[in-house]
Each structure stands twice: as C-alpha cells, then as structure tokens.
Amino acid sequence: MSNYIKITEELSACIAARTPLVILDTEERDRAQAALTDVAHEINVEIDFYTDCDQFVELRRGERRSDAGGDPLAFMEERMKIKSGLIFALGDVRFLDGDNSFSRKTAGLVRLASERKCTVILITADHVWQGLNKLGMYLKLDLPTQAERESMLKTFVAKNKVKAFGADEITRASTMLSGYTALQLKTVMNYVVKLSGGFTFNNLCVVAMQKDKLFGKVPSITRITVGDVHVAGLDGVKDWLEQKRKIFFAPKAELDKKHLSPPKGILLAGVPGCGKSLSARLIARSWQLPLYRFDIGALFDKYVGESEKNMRLALEYVESVSPCVLWIDEIEKELSSGGDNDTAKRMLGSFLYWLQEYGGRVFMVATANDISLMPPELFRKGRLSEIFFVDLPTEEERKNAIELYCGLCLSLKPSDAQVRRLAENSDGFSYADIEAAVKTVAEREFTGGCVESPETLDRAFADTVGILASRREQIDKIRRWGETSAAPASGKRK
C-alpha cells in the first residue's frame, strides 16, 4: 500500500473519530490538499482548507468561503461556536515551533474543537511545539514512493507519446528521481522536454543527477565532476559491480519479497596508486549516478555538540540527494580526524549506525591505504557489502595499462614486443607509476624536447622507481593482510 493511500485512510479514520487535532507532516501542501479532497469525496464531508492566498475553500465542492480577514484562528473559533462537527485544514501555518502566543492560541482552539466535536488539521513540515503536539494525532505524508513515481512516469510517457521508454527505463528513472516531491517530478519531466528537446532516459538522468541544486549545501559534502574515466585492471571489482547494479536499482517492493536491500558499498584497501580513488568515479559514471566526496574531518567543531550536529546534517543531505555514490577517500584518516576523544567516538558511532541501518540508495566507496588504522567496528557485516584488496598489477594488467596510457597520452599503439618488454621491466610498479612513466615521455614530446620512440619509453620506465622498490616493507605488510582478509580486486592473484 502506498503511503498516500495509507494517509487518506488514516485521515478518514481521524475525522470519523472526531480527533480534535491532526498534524500532517509534509513538504507538499498541494499533495496534502489533494489527499484531503479525496477524503472529502470518499466519506462525504465538508473540509474547509485555508491558504493565505485563497483563504478558506470547501474542498468537496471547491467553493470559496468568507474571507478570514487574515486571522484564520479567529474565523475558525467563531464558526465552531456556532456549529459542531466542522473540519478545518490549515495549509499555511507558522510560528508553531515554540511556546508563543500563536501556538498557545492554536492549542486553545484545539481544546474548543474537542468540546465541539470538530477537527483541526495542521499541514507543516516544521517542528510543532510539544504543548500542541500532545493534543492530537501525528501523521506523515512521505514523498512519492517508487510505485507512485513509476505511475507518474508512465502517465507522462503515454501522454507525450514517448517511444524510447520501456519497463527497465521506467524503473531506473523512477529510482533516480527519488527524493522529489510530486510537483518537482512534474516540473523535472517538463523541463527535460524543453531543455533537451526530447524525453529520453539519458536526458532525464542528466537532470536527476543535479538534485543537489534543490537542497542547501553542507561544507563537508562536495559534488565531484566525473568526466571520462579510464581504470585499468580491477576486473574483480568491475564484475562484482555489474552483478550488484540490478539490485541497486530494483524496486523496493521486489527486494522486500526476498528480504534484500540495495548494496551499501565497498571498501577498497591496499597498495597506493592502484586505482582505488578512480573507482568511485568509475562507478558513478557506469551507474549514471552523481558522485559526492564526504570530508568527515571537516565536521569537527570546537563547540560542544556542533560536531555531532554537523554529522547529522551531512547524512541528512546525503539521503536527500540519493541515489548517489558517496566517496570517502583514505577513510582510515577521516575516521581518526578528531583524535582519541569522546566527540570523535560519538561521531564514529553515529556514522556506523547510519551505515548499518540506512536502507536507501546511497552506495559508499571508501578507500584506505593503511588498514591497521581502521576502526574494527567498520568491518561488521551489514555495514559494507564487500571489502576488496587492491594489489600491484599483474603482468597482464601492466600490459593493459601500458597500452591504455600510451593510447591516451601519446596516441600510440606500441608493438606487442615492446609492451611485453615494458611490462617485464615494470614489475613492482603501481598503475600510477606506469602512468607517470608514460606521461614523462608525453610531456617531453609536448614541449618539443624529444620525439617518442621505443627507446624513450624504455628509458622512462628504467628511470622510474616503482612503489615496491621504494616502500617494500610497507607494501609487504599490506599484501599479507590482503591475502587473508579481503576479496582480490583484480579477480585473481599474481
């Protein structure tokens, strides 16, 4: 059952029971008005709906009542004293978040409604003063569900005779559009048609990925431009992601039948310079999702309670812009940014609890170089979908990387013999080492210092000190951990 249908049933029950106060928590006043209109027709009652612009309108017949004169509470009080059993809904409410004269006056009106068997419905997404809140029922009208978004998309596609949208596109598009109000959904669909000249899945995804424009920025979350991404190796990670993509975008109802949830994310730990950070961009691009970098260290504040508040606001923002990829680079440093103190522990606890319990469409990609600094609580089952060990590239992977970077940086396709020779001579190199060696030649060629030849590439590789040679003790330690504690990112061992 959709939340909208559930809310109409609960509103009907509250009205039938003569509940004096109903607080309807929603950001969508128009959708709340539509729900109340459905209720008015369904159970055949008169509901007077107030807005500053239209004043009171009787929803069942759409008739405008007398002007409230800018004081809806006084108007409602006067009507209640004359007639019992009335139903009022306030679509524009304010000043109800604290103990003030307006909230107290509203509480007095609710007590009169109880005496006169009337119902007052307050529609607001803001906090309501506890002295008022305890006088009635609290209902929450959620944003459109997956099924409702799919229904809206199907209606729009049929109305505009769009042929390119099949069932799979409808499902994925509705997932991308989570977090939008019904009005925003209509606006986005019309905007795509006007902006792009056609309603296609790719055009819709481009607009949906700009969801962060709807919400206020938070300093710790940064939108990352993905662009073209080329990641050599990591075939094990790529295969795993391909398998999980369908689950991530599957409708919630289908996942619930199997007691499944969308994949939460991965930890890529291992040797520096082997493509861990690039993987976040790769996932965002291949899944057509926006990418956000989460700087946990930026959350810490010198004032008591502010750090925890910053964490809560950051996580709420991430949920608002989902579905998305959330990238935490060198997470072992991020989670220890506040030092060994109570604030840092509470923030870590809040983050881990969110990671465990949040069942939405946020796919976290965390990278780590030094696994020994990681809090052991992070590895608890249910917080991460998989942990991958990123090792130095194998000989075959080095060949692929050499061909990739030679093509990108030098517009060159080296011979098979040269690729084999360079791959043999780059044993112990990371992907970053190989890229640096090729770019050394590209930079010299660009500035006119040399003309690329097999000898210049061989010399550049010979002059490069690979990471294994420079940091063998550290790399050996990382490898010993990876052999027993994580899945191989390449899908195979060297």
Side-chain angles (χ1 to χ4, degrees):
M1 179 189 298
S2 75
N3 177 253
Y4 181 88
I5 296 174
K6 180 182 178 182
I7 286 296
T8 58
E9 292 181 353
E10 290 178 338
L11 285 170
S12 298
C14 287
I15 291 171
R18 294 291 187 253
T19 306
L21 173 66
V22 178
I23 299 172
L24 184 54
D25 181 358
T26 179
E27 300 175 357
E28 300 182 90
R29 190 187 73 185
D30 294 340
R31 198 155 170 255
Q33 183 175 350
L36 286 168
T37 302
D38 290 344
V39 169
H41 286 286
E42 180 69 24
I43 62 177
N44 194 29
V45 294
E46 293 186 359
I47 301 176
D48 286 342
F49 191 92
Y50 174 83
T51 61
D52 291 337
C53 179
D54 295 329
Q55 298 295 295
F56 280 101
V57 175
E58 200 284 297
L59 294 180
R60 189 178 52 172
R61 292 189 296 270
E63 296 177 353
R64 193 171 185 273
R65 300 292 198 189
S66 301
D67 197 308
D71 189 354
L73 298 187
F75 178 87
M76 292 160 63
E77 182 179 4
E78 181 181 347
R79 292 282 308 281
M80 285 183 192
K81 289 178 179 179
I82 298 172
K83 185 179 180 181
S84 63
L86 299 176
I87 307 164
F88 297 98
L90 296 181
D92 285 325
V93 297
R94 56 186 67 86
F95 310 127
L96 294 179
D97 58 342
D99 185 356
N100 54 58
S101 60
F102 190 82
S103 58
R104 285 184 173 274
K105 187 176 180 180
T106 305
L109 181 70
V110 171
R111 291 188 177 94
L112 176 61
S114 180
E115 296 172 7
R116 301 293 294 164
K117 300 187 183 304
C118 298
T119 298
V120 177
I121 302 169
L122 303 178
I123 299 167
T124 179
D126 298 330
H127 173 74
V128 176
W129 174 50
Q130 188 61 28
L132 180 59
N133 208 351
K134 65 184 180 181
L135 297 178
M137 296 287 291
Y138 173 87
L139 305 178
K140 182 172 177 57
L141 177 59
D142 294 331
L143 295 173
T145 62
Q146 174 96 1
E148 290 171 322
R149 294 193 301 272
E150 286 189 15
S151 177
M152 292 180 68
L153 277 165
K154 289 176 182 176
T155 300
F156 186 87
V157 166
K159 181 179 178 181
N160 291 272
K161 299 180 180 179
V162 180
K163 297 181 180 179
F165 263 72
D168 290 342
E169 286 79 11
I170 290 287
T171 298
R172 283 202 63 189
S174 63
T175 301
M176 294 289 294
L177 291 169
S178 65
Y180 283 100
T181 67
L183 180 60
Q184 287 170 336
L185 285 169
K186 294 175 183 177
T187 302
V188 164
M189 288 187 283
N190 287 312
Y191 176 73
V192 169
V193 172
K194 297 299 181 184
L195 177 69
S196 308
F199 192 73
T200 67
F201 176 73
N202 287 336
N203 291 344
L204 186 61
C205 285
V206 169
V207 175
M209 288 172 66
Q210 300 173 11
K211 194 185 298 182
D212 53 317
K213 293 180 180 179
L214 300 174
F215 306 98
K217 301 293 184 182
V218 292
S220 57
I221 308 290
T222 306
R223 174 73 181 270
I224 303 297
T225 302
V226 176
D228 290 331
V229 182
H230 303 279
V231 179
L234 304 186
D235 290 339
V237 177
K238 293 174 182 175
D239 291 343
W240 185 90
L241 290 169
E242 190 60 35
Q243 295 171 14
K244 298 295 181 180
R245 184 212 302 253
K246 184 176 181 179
I247 300 175
F248 185 86
F249 288 102
K252 185 177 184 302
E254 293 184 13
L255 294 178
D256 288 344
K257 291 178 183 177
K258 299 287 187 180
H259 298 278
L260 298 174
S261 59
K264 293 178 180 291
I266 58 176
L267 171 66
L268 297 170
V271 182
C274 290
K276 297 190 297 295
S277 298
L278 275 177
S279 297
R281 288 183 167 87
L282 173 70
I283 296 167
R285 182 173 178 80
S286 61
W287 286 13
Q288 293 182 289
L289 292 174
L291 173 64
Y292 296 91
R293 185 179 183 274
F294 187 15
D295 182 7
I296 298 178
L299 299 174
F300 288 91
D301 194 286
K302 62 181 179 180
Y303 296 107
V304 176
E306 286 300 307
S307 299
E308 294 89 335
K309 177 183 176 182
N310 292 339
M311 173 65 81
R312 186 180 71 256
L313 292 175
L315 295 178
E316 287 176 355
Y317 178 84
V318 170
E319 293 177 15
S320 298
V321 297
S322 66
C324 64
V325 176
L326 184 66
W327 171 32
I328 306 178
D329 197 25
E330 297 189 9
I331 192 172
E332 75 274 25
K333 296 178 182 177
E334 291 286 327
L335 292 180
S336 61
S337 297
D340 187 17
N341 55 57
D342 290 341
T343 298
K345 292 176 181 177
R346 286 195 298 271
M347 290 182 64
L348 173 61
S350 296
F351 176 70
L352 293 179
Y353 178 80
W354 175 83
L355 199 59
Q356 178 80 28
E357 298 299 325
Y358 180 62
R361 316 283 174 148
V362 175
F363 189 84
M364 187 183 79
V365 179
T367 67
N369 293 325
D370 190 350
I371 204 70
S372 66
L373 298 176
M374 299 284 290
E377 304 96 316
L378 183 64
F379 299 100
R380 175 180 166 182
K381 291 296 183 182
R383 287 177 176 157
L384 292 167
S385 301
E386 187 59 273
I387 301 172
F388 287 100
F389 170 60
V390 183
D391 200 356
L392 292 170
T394 63
E395 182 174 346
E396 191 62 32
E397 289 169 336
R398 294 197 299 275
K399 289 179 182 178
N400 293 335
I402 290 165
E403 292 176 339
L404 172 65
Y405 291 124
C406 283
L408 291 174
C409 303
L410 298 170
S411 299
L412 169 73
K413 181 173 174 52
S415 66
D416 292 343
Q418 186 179 18
V419 170
R420 284 195 302 272
R421 184 171 67 252
L422 293 175
E424 291 171 0
N425 295 337
S426 59
D427 187 19
F429 279 29
S430 66
Y431 289 111
D433 295 331
I434 295 171
E435 181 183 13
V438 175
K439 284 188 174 180
T440 297
V441 177
E443 288 171 355
R444 291 173 182 169
E445 186 181 78
F446 184 81
T447 57
C450 72
V451 177
E452 190 282 321
S453 67
E455 290 74 19
T456 55
L457 266 175
D458 287 342
R459 191 159 51 250
F461 272 71
D463 292 341
T464 300
V465 179
I467 191 171
L468 183 60
S470 62
R471 301 165 66 179
R472 179 174 290 277
E473 184 176 344
Q474 180 182 354
I475 301 304
D476 287 344
K477 179 181 177 182
I478 294 173
R479 283 176 140 178
R480 284 194 296 272
W481 171 85
E483 287 176 357
T484 58
S485 304
S490 65
K492 53 188 174 181
R493 293 296 185 190
K494 186 175 176 180

